[in-house]
Amino acid sequence: MPELPEVETTRRGLAPHCVGRALVRLKVREPRLRWLVAESLPAQAAGRGIASVGRRGKYLIFALEGDLNLLLHLGMSGHMRVVSARQPVKPHDHVDFCLDDGAILRFNDPRRFGSLHAIEGPTDAHPLLASLGPEPLSAAFTGALLHRVGQGRRAPIKSVIMDSHVVVGVGNIYATEALYRAGIHPARAAGRIARARYDRLVNEIKAVLAEAIEAGGTTLRDFSRTDGLPGYFAQTLAVYGRGGEPCRACGRALRSIRLGQRATVYCPRCQR
DNA sequence: ATATGAGCCTGTATGC
DNA sequence: TGCATACAGGCTCATA
């Protein structure tokens, strides 16, 4: 399930294939994604050069010539793959970005939680992006900021760091891992965490995301890299998906709970 | 303002 | 074996 490292892995995989090329055709087989893909979009985008592939949070942004941007979200089961034109279409291959060298960037998303939008001009003001929090790997994301945001809040810290208005890109897997590394109980009220512990938490969020990007992301079920290979971070996960198994630090059985409708695993001894 | 819950989807795993 | 149900979860919207 794509979180920031998976989306960044996708961005890095796509860019060398498509930047500087032209998008000769955009083929939408299934417009019913999270939101209906606009009928006008293929005609609007076709024939334009691709200037860059960027990312904001979990959104990929294809900057096209003529000040048009394509905003693509992978949802939770989506992935992009670079294929040849002869590659047979598989179930859930919803959109093809056909390039002028014959290659295709193919979007597959079984659960259709993904989305595709065209944005004319700057993307920052678009409703989907305007109220997003800072990038977790940027200098703007600090312990001081998170501490300030958490002031007075009774919500569990895990819910707060997964809130994209607070910080983008931290989903269930990496929130779970970062809290374990930081020694913070996921259900602890955000307003009851000391500043120094927030510094630690922010450092661990940055570290776990950076490590996951280096490993090509985490492949559990649907995600794959643009070349079809899996990401290798799954084997590095210390707690996610390991409920009942022993903590690698202290040996106690890891505990599984639900927090805000999300599966959550933590060590009852190491995390307070 | 914050917090909680529903809903969007379908492949996979589990229970009877 | 086969069916029904639960679960996975990023994000927005509605409601308290």
Side-chain angles (χ1 to χ4, degrees):
Chain A
M1 34 217 85
E3 299 184 26
L4 188 144
E6 291 71 39
V7 179
E8 178 62 20
T9 295
T10 299
R11 190 194 70 74
R12 294 181 183 185
L14 294 179
H17 292 277
C18 66
V19 172
R21 307 231 70 97
L23 180 60
V24 292
R25 181 168 177 222
L26 192 73
K27 188 170 183 177
V28 179
R29 288 187 200 83
E30 173 56 86
R32 293 174 303 166
L33 304 183
R34 188 179 206 291
W35 293 282
L36 200 64
V37 177
E39 231 171 292
S40 56
L41 195 146
Q44 194 179 6
R48 301 186 190 234
I50 300 173
S52 66
V53 186
R55 179 186 59 75
R56 177 75 176 98
K58 296 175 190 171
Y59 289 94
L60 286 168
I61 302 174
F62 297 84
L64 306 185
E65 286 169 357
D67 226 6
L68 187 75
N69 296 284
L70 294 182
L71 195 64
L72 178 72
H73 198 294
L74 300 178
M76 58 167 288
S77 58
H79 62 82
M80 284 287 265
R81 197 168 294 186
V82 180
V83 300
S84 80
R86 291 186 311 280
Q87 189 71 225
V89 171
K90 295 181 182 156
H92 315 301
D93 280 342
H94 302 318
V95 182
D96 280 358
F97 294 62
C98 306
L99 306 181
D100 59 359
D101 64 349
I104 295 173
L105 314 184
R106 183 162 281 172
F107 176 60
N108 180 289
D109 181 14
R111 270 161 276 188
R112 288 194 268 128
F113 275 23
S115 65
L116 180 64
H117 288 88
I119 302 173
E120 309 228 31
T123 55
D124 289 350
H126 190 276
L128 291 171
L129 302 181
S131 61
L132 292 181
E135 288 289 326
L137 293 173
S138 74
F141 183 55
T142 63
L145 171 78
L146 205 52
H147 182 248
R148 195 179 331 124
V149 169
Q151 285 301 305
R153 286 228 218 171
R154 293 185 198 177
I157 182 59
K158 177 163 179 263
S159 302
V160 172
I161 60 175
M162 288 178 66
D163 182 346
S164 63
H165 300 103
V166 174
V167 59
V168 296
V170 183
N172 201 32
I173 295 173
Y174 299 111
T176 299
E177 292 296 313
L179 286 164
Y180 171 76
R181 292 181 180 207
I184 298 173
H185 194 296
R188 174 168 284 275
R192 315 243 358 208
I193 298 173
R195 166 64 201 279
R197 304 189 75 200
Y198 269 119
D199 287 340
R200 170 93 185 275
L201 176 57
V202 164
N203 286 340
E204 298 296 354
I205 290 172
K206 289 175 189 277
V208 73
L209 292 176
E211 288 170 31
I213 291 170
E214 284 303 304
T218 299
T219 297
L220 293 177
R221 294 177 191 83
D222 308 285
F223 180 72
S224 76
R225 305 187 318 190
T226 56
D227 55 10
L229 295 173
Y232 296 111
F233 197 68
Q235 54 213 44
T236 310
L237 299 175
V239 279
Y240 184 88
R242 295 191 63 235
E245 295 177 40
C247 169
R248 287 182 185 146
C250 78
R252 279 274 282 277
L254 298 174
R255 198 166 288 173
S256 291
I257 58 173
R258 286 189 78 79
L259 213 52
Q261 284 85 250
R262 293 286 175 269
T264 303
V265 184
Y266 69 99
C267 173
R269 177 177 289 170
C270 297
Q271 293 175 259
R272 298 295 162 125

